[in-house]
Every structure is written in structure tokens, then in C-alpha cells.
Amino acid sequence: MKVLGTALLAFGIYLGYFIVIKPYLWRKKYQKYSNVLVGDKFIPVVGDSIKELNSIKANKVHYAHYEEDAHITKKYDLMAKLEGSVPVILVLSSRATQEFLQLQKRSLIDRYNTYRGLQVMLGKSITPRATTPDVVQRRKNMTQWLGLNASSQFISRMIQLCRETQKAISKQNQDVDIMHHCNIWTFNVLTQIIFGEDSSKVINNFYPYINSDGSVEEINLREMLIRVAKVYLDQHFSPFTNMFPILSKYKFINPYKRDYKNLQTFEKAIHHIMTTSKDTSSVGSKFFANKECTDEEKVGDIILILVGGAETTAHAIVSSLYLLQKNPEALQKLKDELTNNGLTRNEDFEKNCTLENIQNCTYLNCVIKETLRRENPASVTFEYKVKQDIQICGVPIQKNEDIRLDIMASKFDDDKWLNPHNFAPERHDPESEFYQNAKKLGKVADAYTMRPFSLGNRNCPGQSLAILELKVFLAYFVTHINWEFSQEDLQHEGIGFAMGTQFEAKIKVSSKREILVKSCYIQKYP
């Protein structure tokens, strides 16, 4: 009993130190710097995640606080944030971003694996690996194989999949879950690119998935991807994971043990598809032909493409559709541009939807840029580790601190953007009247403000493919489908459809000009 009592006392001291004392002292350390944003109140366990929780409680999307707090955030270079009990430095200002990138070039800041949340799922990919020569080469290969020229050969297939999506949603006599259909579309595009002729195996084969109640369900690879990604995203923000990181790293109890078994099933499925593939022209075959990587690393990089390319792009598409309908003048301007470039609802769409033609649609490009400014799929980058004591904007940051670029921090800064709360694609067009007015007022953002795909030598290697997917899907959807969100959705200022949203994207579709509008506002959580 005495030994048990001693053990419990030691455990209690550990919890008290990890949950209260350590984060409190870390937070207090940065309060003396006037250019570091520190939360108003220290809340053990929850930390600064209280902002996200309060947004949800107020019936708003969890990242709504970025827009609401923009007038405060713009005054600071850095933020000392507690993600639960985990301390992390967020880079906010352009000045701080510039210094961060310089330190990154000197290898004083680099990626590392936290073995937490999505980092576990992507642990064998290049994402959590330090910038070693082999990682640099793997990134270079990925950028080349998924680059614009390489991806453009799949435009015809993208359009064919758009037609399949149109057929699927037109059959429904009820509200359409457009996020679900966009997820299917982006996943099918990526599997065509990665697996080529073997993509049918991805669609038709089923694999065992262990549910939380212990039951085993046979599901396809797309559903496996969605479920595995969701549980690891949930793990990332779980207070239990933050308090006991050893559980996430060594996975000896559920849900960590069960989730890892499902991840291993997912990895084995991809490995089997690739090692039995007969299509030597697919992107996946190029990964597996690389003798410099292990099979685990090859599978890891393919999972990275699937996670980063399917889920994020689907959310960006839905956000674009929502913002366009909410701003009918922008929608009409986009329709006019597409018509002028021969992209209309007729047989010539596929013929006219060439890389050159779609790249000439400048307003389409502006719409995508403005969507990513307003509703970027992710709000922060993956974790970096400070390799030795550094300074950013005069603030000393010690070795081994976690640090990340905040992607959304500057997007509503009214010192950098004219009318930042408005959806205005014209702000990205140097020839527009809006841009010229903004320029006269000194409100044209610099190169460090807009960072939807991160910046520096660890930015997103698949961004060219993602942008092309967005352009093709929007061009087709806008010209072929009449859609409407409910008026309740359109009038709800706190709604959003980026990653982690608690709202479902429901629309009405019709082949006719007249569309019956029905409220489709559904919230997943009370």
C-alpha cells in the first residue's frame, strides 16, 4: 500500500507540473515582451483552445476568432499559445515570418515528429522529417511528379469525374451533402494520378476497419482514409493526448492502439496495390521505383498526398461555392469570364478546358486566391523545432521550443487589406479598380502575408496540383450546375467550411434556372 501511495503521489505531482506549473511558467515568460500575444487568462488543460471552444459554443465555426480578433492580432509579431497543455510559438507578422524563413534556411528551425495526432499518420512521410539531403530529394521528386505540367495531362479525367459527380448529385431528391461529393471527386482524381490503371482496386477492394466498439467493418480505401484521418485529427486536439504524450507515441491502450492498427491496414493496402501494379506510367510507380527510399517511406509519401490533396482541396472547393453564392456579383463575373473563354455548358467544354485556356482565366484565379485568404483549409503549419537558442523580432526563443507559422493570422489585418472582411477577388488583380484603390491607400499585402500553402523550403509540394483541381472543378461546376445553400446558411456570419468545421455543407441542385430553396443548415454538435 505504501508503494502504491508513493506511486500515486508521484503521478499527481507529475500531472500538476505538466498541466499547471510548466505551462503557467512558460506563458508567464513571454508576457514581458510587448510584441508577443499572450492570452488574457490561464486555463489549465484547455489552454488557449478556449477560443475555439467559445466559437463553437456561440454557434460559429471554430476558427471564427481569427476574424474577430484581427484588430488585436495585427499588433503582435508572435503568439505564445497553449494548445491544451502543449506550448507552441506561433509566427504572426510578416516581419516575424521573414526572420523565421531566414532561420529555417540556416537550419536553426526544422521539422520534427511530435508523434501526436496527424504526425503519427504521416510519420513515415517527409512531413515530420528534418531537412536532410534525402528529404530534399524526396520533396523535389514530389514537386516534379505533381507539378503543373505533369498534372495537366489529367485534366480530361478530372472533367470526366466532374460529370460523374454531376450525375450523382442530380439523382438526389433531397439536400445534397456537397462536401461528401467533393471528397469523392478529389480522392478519385488523386487515385487516378497515383495508381493509374490500378485505381479500380482502390474503389472496389474492401478492408477491415476496427470501430470504437470493437466491431470490424469492411470499407473501401476512400472511407478508410476519411476515418483514419479523422481519428488522428481528433487525437491531435485531445487533452488526454496532450497530458500523456507517451500514449500517442507508444500506443499501448485504446484508442491509440486501435487507431494504429487501422492505420497499418491502410498502409498495407497501399503497399499491396503498388507492389502488384502493372501501370508503370502512374505517379505511384515512380515513387516505388525510387531505390533511395524504403517501402515504408514510399507508402508514407503516398499517404501524405492523399491526406493533403483530397481532404484539404475538397474543403477549399466547398468554401469557394459558398462564398460565390454569398456574393452573386462575383459569381456572375466568374461565369462571364468562363463563357468568354469557351468554357460553357456544351460539348466543347472538354475541348476548351486546356491548361493554357484555364490559366488565362484570371478572375477564376483571383476567386481561388480570395477563397484561400478567407477560408484556408488549415490554419497553421505542421510543427517545427528550434534547434538552438534564437531570436525572432527581438524575442529570445530557447532550443527545443515548438514553433509554427500561423497561416490565417494576417488575413483580416485592415492595415494590409482593404475591407478585409469582404469577399473581393479583385484585390488579387493588379489591373482592377479595387486593387488600384487599395494600392493608393497602402493596403496591398506583402509576400509574407498570404501563405495558404506555407512558405519556405517546407511549403506544400502539391500546391500546383491542388490549384489545378480547384480551377477545373469550379469551372465545370459553375457552368453546369445550379446550386444554392439555404438562406439560413447564407445569412449566418459565423459559418465556415474549412478543415475541422462542425457544419455540414448542404445544397439544393437543379438543372433548371428556378431552384426551390429549403433550409439546409445542419450542425453536427449541439
Side-chain angles (χ1 to χ4, degrees):
M1 288 295 292
K2 187 175 180 180
V3 174
L4 178 60
T6 302
L8 289 174
L9 177 62
F11 183 66
I13 292 172
Y14 165 78
L15 278 184
Y17 174 75
F18 187 85
I19 296 173
V20 181
I21 298 174
K22 184 180 178 181
Y24 175 79
L25 292 176
W26 180 87
R27 182 176 176 275
K28 190 173 180 62
K29 177 176 66 173
Y30 288 102
Q31 285 179 324
K32 61 184 177 181
Y33 298 100
S34 60
N35 61 336
V36 179
L37 177 60
V38 181
D40 296 331
K41 189 176 180 181
F42 172 65
I43 305 176
V45 181
V46 176
D48 295 303
S49 300
I50 190 66
K51 285 186 175 291
E52 283 80 5
L53 295 174
N54 284 340
S55 292
I56 294 172
K57 187 177 179 180
N59 199 25
K60 298 178 180 179
V61 72
H62 64 92
Y63 50 84
H65 64 90
Y66 275 100
E67 186 169 2
E68 296 166 356
D69 296 342
H71 64 291
I72 298 172
T73 308
K74 71 176 185 178
K75 301 174 184 177
Y76 297 92
D77 293 311
L78 303 169
M79 179 179 180
K81 182 179 182 181
L82 290 173
E83 294 184 345
S85 299
V86 178
V88 59
I89 297 293
L90 295 182
V91 178
L92 303 179
S93 71
S94 294
R95 176 187 166 206
T97 301
Q98 190 173 8
E99 292 188 23
F100 173 91
L101 295 177
Q102 290 299 320
L103 292 165
Q104 187 190 67
K105 283 183 180 179
R106 294 163 55 195
S107 299
L108 298 179
I109 295 174
D110 208 346
R111 287 280 180 83
Y112 84 108
N113 198 339
T114 62
Y115 299 100
R116 181 166 64 102
L118 283 175
Q119 292 278 44
V120 176
M121 187 176 183
L122 303 176
K124 295 162 188 172
S125 73
I126 61 174
T127 295
R129 292 277 307 277
T131 313
T132 55
D134 67 304
V135 168
V136 171
Q137 185 59 50
R138 285 164 67 186
R139 277 182 48 81
K140 184 177 179 181
N141 292 341
M142 194 177 295
T143 302
Q144 178 183 345
W145 296 334
L146 299 176
L148 193 58
N149 290 333
S151 302
S152 62
Q153 64 182 301
F154 296 99
I155 289 178
S156 178
R157 182 55 182 152
M158 291 181 192
I159 295 170
Q160 183 180 340
L161 290 170
C162 283
R163 290 198 179 100
E164 292 177 11
T165 300
Q166 181 184 14
K167 183 183 291 185
I169 64 178
S170 64
K171 290 180 179 178
Q172 297 184 226
N173 295 320
Q174 55 188 4
D175 297 334
V176 175
D177 183 349
I178 189 60
M179 187 71 75
H180 171 74
H181 289 282
C182 286
N183 267 318
I184 293 175
W185 185 83
T186 54
F187 182 83
N188 287 345
V189 168
L190 285 172
T191 52
Q192 283 286 319
I193 294 173
I194 295 171
F195 303 113
E197 294 177 2
D198 297 292
S199 60
S200 59
K201 296 180 183 178
V202 180
I203 298 171
N204 298 325
N205 289 5
F206 287 77
Y207 306 91
Y209 180 87
I210 307 170
N211 292 308
S212 57
D213 61 0
S215 63
V216 178
E217 185 179 358
E218 295 289 325
I219 59 176
N220 63 26
L221 203 65
R222 185 186 69 81
E223 183 64 22
M224 181 79 75
L225 170 65
I226 292 172
R227 293 193 191 185
V228 172
K230 183 183 184 304
V231 296
Y232 276 107
L233 192 63
D234 291 343
Q235 275 189 30
H236 186 88
F237 294 105
S238 168
F240 203 64
T241 302
N242 295 332
M243 286 188 288
F244 306 105
I246 190 173
L247 300 179
S248 180
K249 185 171 183 178
Y250 294 104
K251 317 165 194 63
F252 47 80
I253 66 170
N254 288 330
Y256 307 97
K257 183 178 180 180
R258 178 183 62 246
D259 293 342
Y260 189 62
K261 283 184 178 179
N262 287 328
L263 173 59
Q264 288 180 308
T265 300
F266 185 61
E267 292 172 339
K268 288 176 182 177
I270 291 175
H271 185 269
H272 175 72
I273 293 169
M274 291 314 312
T275 52
T276 59
S277 173
K278 297 180 180 178
D279 186 349
T280 58
S281 64
S282 68
V283 169
S285 67
K286 295 178 182 178
F287 277 96
F288 268 75
N290 184 1
K291 297 180 181 180
E292 302 299 320
C293 298
T294 66
D295 279 7
E296 282 189 341
E297 290 172 336
K298 297 167 186 176
V299 170
D301 286 342
I302 288 175
I303 290 176
L304 170 61
I305 297 169
L306 290 172
V307 172
E311 189 75 9
T312 56
T313 306
H315 281 270
I317 289 171
V318 173
S319 294
S320 296
L321 296 176
Y322 175 73
L323 290 168
L324 281 169
Q325 201 210 325
K326 196 167 184 176
N327 297 271
E329 290 183 5
L331 177 57
Q332 187 58 52
K333 190 171 181 179
L334 177 58
K335 287 180 177 179
D336 292 343
E337 179 185 68
L338 294 172
T339 299
N340 292 337
N341 282 274
L343 297 170
T344 58
R345 191 176 183 173
N346 57 40
E347 297 176 356
D348 292 329
F349 184 90
E350 185 171 345
K351 176 184 175 182
N352 294 332
C353 193
T354 61
L355 178 61
E356 181 182 7
N357 203 11
I358 205 165
Q359 290 292 80
N360 286 334
C361 293
T362 56
Y363 195 71
L364 173 61
N365 191 50
C366 291
V367 165
I368 291 170
K369 283 185 175 182
E370 183 67 348
T371 297
L372 295 177
R373 183 189 73 86
R374 287 275 314 169
E375 294 279 325
N376 200 72
S379 57
V380 293
T381 64
F382 283 104
E383 288 86 347
Y384 290 83
K385 177 78 76 179
V386 176
K387 309 299 286 186
Q388 67 181 58
D389 292 354
I390 60 171
Q391 281 195 4
I392 295 181
C393 297
V395 178
I397 303 173
Q398 293 180 339
K399 180 181 177 180
N400 292 327
E401 290 274 27
D402 285 4
I403 187 168
R404 287 195 262 172
L405 277 176
D406 191 305
I407 294 174
M408 295 185 72
S410 300
K411 294 190 173 184
F412 300 101
D413 183 349
D414 57 11
D415 290 334
K416 295 179 178 291
W417 304 101
L418 178 61
N419 301 329
H421 302 287
N422 295 347
F423 179 76
E426 292 79 7
R427 74 172 76 249
H428 305 284
D429 180 7
E431 296 183 3
S432 71
E433 183 179 353
F434 187 101
Y435 182 94
Q436 293 300 323
N437 289 337
K439 187 176 181 180
K440 289 177 183 177
L441 295 170
K443 295 190 176 184
V444 175
D446 56 62
Y448 302 102
T449 299
M450 189 76 173
R451 45 198 185 213
F453 296 99
S454 188
L455 296 169
N457 58 22
R458 299 306 297 266
N459 64 359
C460 175
Q463 57 186 284
S464 295
L465 171 60
I467 293 295
L468 182 61
E469 286 181 286
L470 280 163
K471 287 182 176 180
V472 172
F473 189 94
L474 286 179
Y476 186 92
F477 203 91
V478 165
T479 54
H480 287 73
I481 299 172
N482 295 312
W483 82 95
E484 279 203 15
F485 288 82
S486 71
Q487 287 302 309
E488 190 172 359
D489 280 348
L490 295 173
Q491 293 168 9
H492 191 326
E493 294 302 323
I495 201 171
F497 298 108
M499 293 281 285
T501 180
Q502 71 267 34
F503 297 103
E504 291 185 349
K506 296 284 189 176
I507 63 171
K508 277 287 188 183
V509 296
S510 174
S511 59
K512 300 178 180 179
R513 286 295 175 188
E514 295 296 325
I515 301 176
L516 297 176
V517 181
K518 178 181 177 182
S519 177
C520 55
Y521 175 79
I522 297 179
Q523 194 175 6
K524 291 182 181 177
Y525 309 115

